[in-house]
């Protein structure tokens, strides 16, 4: 085949996949190779594919150079001199390996670390919602963690990404481009494909519908699979670009519930949830996920309101009230609280409308389109309210504490 189809070079890259060695052959053909001959060549190579773990990818010279010059670090690593097993004596292909690899590696590290920071933010959000009993939102966060992991691998190792919320699209594309790319689910198996489709469904259903549900067993399975995907992807990046492991598993938060009355126990529970929400929101803010971050800040304020209402009313539950109603009810118990004072100022009217919308974004058709200055203002309101509520709560608890002899 080499003698008849203008093959310029063949590189052989060996990797371990599922404990078995796989040989990944990259065949480079001359740009002038006729289409009919190239098709026959591909058929010939395909007859050998799979034999003793042998895989083939075929490029024309111009295609190969385009891929490498546009950031395909994996292909550049494959086509290193140490992997060359055949070269035509008249081949004119010159790969700018040394200088280009240094530059590409530096860009890949920046892209990978940026992506993993976002992944970490979604994992923290998934853990928080799991702890809070919000399994649907937890699944949504896991879906986003998986999607961004795939897109991060594409951007850092291949120099491009697929923009899709369908996880199997990312899996199939990356698996074809990188033979040892880890995947979360094998969509060729019916049961695995059903799980994958359920995770895909969570992206739209949780945001725009109210009836998405998932059992605890499947949610924990998703946690395990996504964690495997992230950690395996980091290992892949370590092998190709030498990046250090920046991912740590977020533990599910344990909420201390203690106290002498239900009101006190409820107060501590709500305030701890609020603190976890603001922490998750700050992480997403750093990852430039403004809309989701604002949603978490709005939910933080809701939890603080319910903590204060329960404490001042002796345990009244306000679970089904929306944020505007919670603020009004909170005002009846705590008239001069910080957030209500700020809300009464005319200049903040639009800001509060945006905050109220963000509480349940899946109920609104249009995007929130939050500006950076609005995001930062909401963040500051949330922090101040949490601080003021903490002081007021401690004072109220002192008043309620039974006198000790």
């Amino acid at each position: 085949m080499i003698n008849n189809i203008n093959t310029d070079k063949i590189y052989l890259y060996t990797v371990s996949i599922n404990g078995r060695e796989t040989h990944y052959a990259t065949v480079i053909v001359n740009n002038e190779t006729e289409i009919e001959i190239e098709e026959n060549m591909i058929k010939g190579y395909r007859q050998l594919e799979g034999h003793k773990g042998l895989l083939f990818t075929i490029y024309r010279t111009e295609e190969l150079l385009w891929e490498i010059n546009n950031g395909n670090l994996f292909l550049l690593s494959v086509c290193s001199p140490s992997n060359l097993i055949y070269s035509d004596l008249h081949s004119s292909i010159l790969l700018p390996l040394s200088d280009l690899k240094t530059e590409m590696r530096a860009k890949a590290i920046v892209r990978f670390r940026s992506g993993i920071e976002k992944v970490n933010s979604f994992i923290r959000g998934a853990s928080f919602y799991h702890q809070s009993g919000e399994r649907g939102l937890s699944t949504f966060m896991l879906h986003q963690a998986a999607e961004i992991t795939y897109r991060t691998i594409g951007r850092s190792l291949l120099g491009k990404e697929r923009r899709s919320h369908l996880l199997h699209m990312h899996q199939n594309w990356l698996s074809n481009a990188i033979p040892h790319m880890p995947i979360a689910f094998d969509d060729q198996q019916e049961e695995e494909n059903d799980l994958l489709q359920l995770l895909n469904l969570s992206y739209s259903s949780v945001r725009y519908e109210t009836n998405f549900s998932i059992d605890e067993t499947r949610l924990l399975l998703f946690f395990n699979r996504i964690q495997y995907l992230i950690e395996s992807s980091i290992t892949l990046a370590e092998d190709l670009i030498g990046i250090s492991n920046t991912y740590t598993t977020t533990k599910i938060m344990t909420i201390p519930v203690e106290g002498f009355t239900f009101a006190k126990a409820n107060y501590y529970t709500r305030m701890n949830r609020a603190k976890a929400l603001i922490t998750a929101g700050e992480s997403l803010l750093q990852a430039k996920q403004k809309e989701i971050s604002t949603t978490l800040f709005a939910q933080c304020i809701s939890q603080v309101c319910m903590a204060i209402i329960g404490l001042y009313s002796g345990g009244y539950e306000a679970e089904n009230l929306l944020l505007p109603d919670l603020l009004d009810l909170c005002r009846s118990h705590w008239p001069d609280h910080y957030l209500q004072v700020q809300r009464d100022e005319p200049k903040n009217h639009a800001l509060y409308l945006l905050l109220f919308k963000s509480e349940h974004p899946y109920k609104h058709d249009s995007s929130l389109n939050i500006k950076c200055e609005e995001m930062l203002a909401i963040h500051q309101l949330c922090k101040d309210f949490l601080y003021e509520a903490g002081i007021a709560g401690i004072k109220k608890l002192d008043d309620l504490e039974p006198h000790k002899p």
Side-chain angles (χ1 to χ4, degrees):
M1 286 189 289
I2 287 173
N3 292 332
N4 293 317
I5 56 177
N6 299 326
T7 301
D8 278 341
K9 293 182 185 294
I10 299 177
Y11 293 89
L12 192 65
Y13 179 73
T14 301
V15 295
S16 178
I17 303 177
N18 296 326
R20 177 181 132 183
E21 278 197 342
T22 296
H23 309 286
Y24 182 68
T26 298
V27 181
I28 306 170
V29 300
N30 192 284
N31 287 332
E32 285 70 43
T33 302
E34 296 179 11
I35 296 297
E36 182 179 352
I37 295 176
E38 185 176 351
E39 289 176 349
N40 290 333
M41 174 196 68
I42 292 173
K43 289 179 182 177
Y45 279 125
R46 289 291 179 256
Q47 291 176 0
L48 296 176
E49 192 166 59
H51 178 66
K52 293 186 178 179
L54 188 60
L55 301 174
F56 283 99
T57 300
I58 301 168
Y59 290 93
R60 289 174 178 267
T61 305
E62 59 186 14
E63 293 171 343
L64 176 80
L65 294 176
W66 185 91
E67 286 283 344
I68 290 176
N69 287 320
N70 282 275
N72 194 323
L73 185 62
F74 172 72
L75 194 54
L76 183 63
S77 298
V78 168
C79 297
S80 65
S82 60
N83 295 328
L84 183 65
I85 62 170
Y86 171 81
S87 181
D88 183 83
L89 293 176
H90 305 291
S91 174
S92 58
I93 298 177
L94 294 174
L95 299 181
L97 290 173
S98 56
D99 294 339
L100 187 58
K101 187 165 187 178
T102 301
E103 178 185 346
M104 287 170 63
R105 179 180 174 274
K107 290 180 179 178
I109 289 175
V110 171
R111 290 169 178 169
F112 191 85
R113 285 181 174 158
S114 174
I116 289 298
E117 284 178 7
K118 293 179 181 179
V119 170
N120 271 322
S121 298
F122 280 111
I123 288 294
R124 283 192 288 270
S127 294
F128 167 77
Y129 281 121
H130 178 229
Q131 174 273 322
S132 301
E134 298 279 356
R135 291 198 294 261
L137 285 169
S138 182
T139 308
F140 168 80
M141 292 286 182
L142 288 174
H143 173 281
Q144 287 294 278
E147 179 188 329
I148 294 174
T149 298
Y150 285 133
R151 290 174 61 178
T152 297
I153 289 293
R155 291 183 69 242
S156 56
L157 300 187
L158 302 179
K160 52 192 173 183
E161 62 179 321
R162 290 286 172 90
R163 293 186 174 274
S164 174
H165 299 306
L166 300 177
L167 298 181
H168 60 275
M169 298 288 289
H170 295 282
Q171 289 192 169
N172 294 340
W173 174 59
L174 289 171
S175 296
N176 288 330
I178 305 175
H180 54 315
M181 174 67 204
I183 60 173
F185 301 93
D186 182 0
D187 60 1
Q188 300 303 307
Q189 298 183 30
E190 183 177 355
E191 185 176 348
E192 291 275 296
N193 186 59
D194 289 344
L195 290 169
L196 182 57
Q197 296 309 318
L198 178 62
L199 193 55
N200 279 333
L201 181 64
S202 72
Y203 177 81
S204 58
S205 295
V206 171
R207 296 180 72 193
Y208 304 114
E209 301 173 13
T210 58
N211 59 351
F212 179 84
S213 63
I214 181 172
D215 60 77
E216 181 73 6
T217 301
R218 287 187 176 182
L219 179 57
L220 292 177
L221 186 148
F222 286 154
F223 264 104
N224 290 333
R225 293 296 184 86
I226 304 310
Q227 180 171 325
Y228 160 77
L229 172 66
I230 296 167
E231 292 177 345
S232 298
S233 296
I234 290 173
T235 299
L236 178 65
E238 287 176 337
D239 291 341
L240 291 171
I241 59 179
I243 195 166
S244 60
N245 191 330
T246 58
Y247 172 76
T248 55
T249 303
T250 302
K251 303 297 183 184
I252 295 174
M253 183 187 66
T254 56
I255 301 175
V257 178
E258 59 186 70
F260 53 89
T261 65
F262 174 80
K264 182 176 181 180
N266 180 69
Y267 173 81
Y268 280 127
T269 299
R270 299 292 186 189
M271 292 298 284
N272 274 286
R273 288 180 183 173
K275 291 173 185 176
L277 279 163
I278 198 170
T279 299
E282 287 167 346
S283 297
L284 289 169
L285 182 58
Q286 292 176 358
K288 297 182 172 56
Q289 301 289 325
K290 297 197 297 292
E291 286 78 10
I292 301 176
S293 183
T294 308
T295 298
L296 296 183
F297 290 149
Q299 292 174 359
C300 171
I301 292 172
S302 293
Q303 290 295 323
V304 174
C305 284
M306 286 189 275
I308 291 295
I309 293 167
L311 191 60
Y312 277 70
S313 65
Y316 174 76
E317 284 290 285
E319 286 282 1
N320 297 321
L321 296 180
L322 296 178
L323 186 52
D325 300 318
L326 284 171
L327 283 169
D328 290 338
L329 185 58
C330 189
R331 185 179 197 174
S332 67
H333 298 291
W334 185 21
D336 58 346
H337 70 73
Y338 175 85
L339 200 62
Q340 189 62 56
V341 172
Q342 295 297 310
R343 181 184 174 191
D344 289 342
E345 294 182 6
K347 65 179 181 179
N348 288 330
H349 183 67
L351 188 66
Y352 277 89
L353 288 178
L354 186 62
L355 186 62
F356 297 155
K357 270 189 175 185
S358 72
E359 185 181 13
H360 296 290
Y362 52 82
K363 293 183 179 179
H364 301 277
D365 295 330
S366 58
S367 172
L368 293 174
N369 294 321
I370 300 172
K371 298 177 182 177
C372 287
E373 57 268 26
E374 294 172 332
M375 177 76 262
L376 294 174
I378 289 173
H379 178 220
Q380 190 61 49
L381 284 174
C382 188
K383 287 172 60 179
D384 291 339
F385 188 41
L386 187 60
Y387 174 76
E388 294 289 340
I391 294 176
I394 290 172
K395 184 178 182 302
K396 186 64 177 178
L397 285 171
D398 286 341
D399 294 338
L400 294 174
E401 184 80 38
H403 294 293
K404 297 178 181 179

